[in-house]
Amino acid sequence: MFSPIDIGPMKVPNRFVVSPMCNNYANTDGTLSDTSLAYYKERALGGFGLITFEATVVDVRAKGGANKACLYSDHQIASFKRVIDVCHDAGAKISVQLQHAGPEGNSKVSGYPLRAASAIASAAGRNTPEAISREELYELIELYGEAALRAKKAGADAVEVHCAHGYLVSSFLSARTNKRVDEFGGCFENRMRLPRLIIESIRKRVGHSIAILCRINSTDGVDGGLSVQDSATVAAYLEDCGLDGLHVSRSVHIRDEYMWAPTVLHAGFSSDLVTQIKRAVSIPVITVGRFTEPHYAELMVREGRADLVAFGRQSLADPETPNKAAAGKLDELLPCIACLQGCVANMYAGKPITCLVNPLLGRESEAYLPKTPSKKVVVIGGGVGGLYAGWMAGSRGHDVTVYEASDMIGGQMRLAAYPPGKGDLTNMVRSYIKKCEQFDVEIKTNTPVTPELIQEVAPDAVIIATGATPLVLPIPGIEDAGLIHAVDLLDGKEKCGQKVLVVGGGMVGSETAAFLGEAGHDVTVVELRDEVGADVISEHRKFLMRDFDEYKIKSVTNAKVTSFFEDGVTYSLADNKEHRIDGFDSVVLAMGSRAYNPLEETIKKIVPETYVIGDAIRARRALDATKEALDAVLQL
């Protein structure tokens, strides 16, 4: 992974790649912003050998978001050059991905109809695109060449033509989405005509002065789409077109659980597919797919199954991944846990992306704010919000102690690691503990904080991160029916019988049901809303529902629980009639959480500089907790 490699005329210093990720940091005129500069610079300083700039729009008619990077105009060159220059100074090579979003675009932003090979919507609910005309296609081919020339003028070492994920070029490659009968449709040669002419257009303008790569799918992942055999043929054809390298991704948006791989999928889940692509070509191949720690990446390169490895979301969580690997400090690595909360969710919403694990993402320049005089800081609560506040405050020179009332660090995030496929969450908790150790932050467990303790310690500042407790609604029988709280079950503090009723089918309840189902329990879930897992991010939910099917977990939805018994509940449906479900060995309560913050008013009288973060304000997501922890630390 630390050996150099040539991709055409470009010599990359190592095999660590930042993949192109939409971040919504660009200015509305398509230029790269100061935020873009700080973001890319941090990853160059972190040791990545090749950084691929986000999908960059080549045609003003295809702008898919208000804050998308663009190279359809000369006025955008200077901003790219400014960012590329600082990345070069840090030792990284730069590739700019060139894209026309096609059927995955945004007509409301661009003001133009969507375009695709044929008038086929990319998914249910998306606008049906217009089949792009031959005249516009030939114009677009020239626009790719002109955008590549602008990238070269800005100092880029390479350009990457986006031919994956169902975007415009991708829609031409597959017979599933290409129903044309002109020279761009029908046989394989015709369906490959568009990428071939784009490569020729780029080469005509830049010669062999910069490298040309393409990003392709290893498989589209849908019936009738490109199979891995098709994609291997595409790869070989593109090499014959004079391509210098390939970046192999996976899937169209209908199967985006294999694009934005959630926690349940592990590093290299597409490696066998990539191996088939690698066998088909002699040019360098970049693989991508949920790589966090570099061990399997190293194995892929050693075995010759790929030449470079792209760390996409891992580079968001920890831009210093290559440097830490080189220094043998992988225990200090902040891991991507594939939660998708701050990156993918914000990308789709058109907001600047952020990261649960690394709330400094998109705020990189704030890491270099002048340090304030050292203060004695007490953090109350050892969940991820408290731990992040602890180590971040320690890194800024403060004297920090984290107090945890229980005997175990990690809070809700530690328990969230127990359901099937969620074990990587433990890695995040452990990494935060390691960062506390790195910055001499003392962690005291089994130490409930009292006003007397605060008076004795006499801190200059306090950060309250006491989290949340299970929500217990005033429903008849709920207090005296011997119910088990889901968090106690996951933590091993309570045991349940064979036949289990879980009351509450949100994320905690449905994942607890999967946890029990995996262990062989007979599980039923009762949920107020019209579906279980309604608050689970869609890519995660697809695998969660697979668990429901596999473990034959039953569910009753649109059900308002009206009373509890030792062996079941009564509930009402839309018909307003009362129903009863009983005969269970155990009833598990997972109806949500409420803020736990009994100390704020008292402590503020003792320590005026007191901050409250995370669930102690209101029960929400860990993404909010770490963000608010960062905000608090920067105010110290």
Side-chain angles (χ1 to χ4, degrees), residues 517-556:
E518 183 184 52
H521 292 268
D522 178 358
V523 185
T524 301
V525 179
V526 174
E527 166 58 22
L528 178 64
R529 287 169 287 193
D530 60 1
E531 63 179 6
V532 295
D535 58 341
V536 179
I537 289 176
S538 63
E539 290 81 4
H540 288 271
R541 190 175 184 277
K542 290 177 182 179
F543 289 97
L544 180 62
M545 292 301 99
R546 180 197 65 183
D547 289 344
F548 267 59
D549 290 340
E550 181 176 350
Y551 305 132
K552 297 180 173 55
I553 298 170
K554 298 169 284 293
S555 59
V556 180

Side-chain angles (χ1 to χ4, degrees), residues 466-482:
T466 43
T469 56
L471 179 64
V472 181
L473 295 173
I475 300 173
I478 197 168
E479 296 285 3
D480 51 16

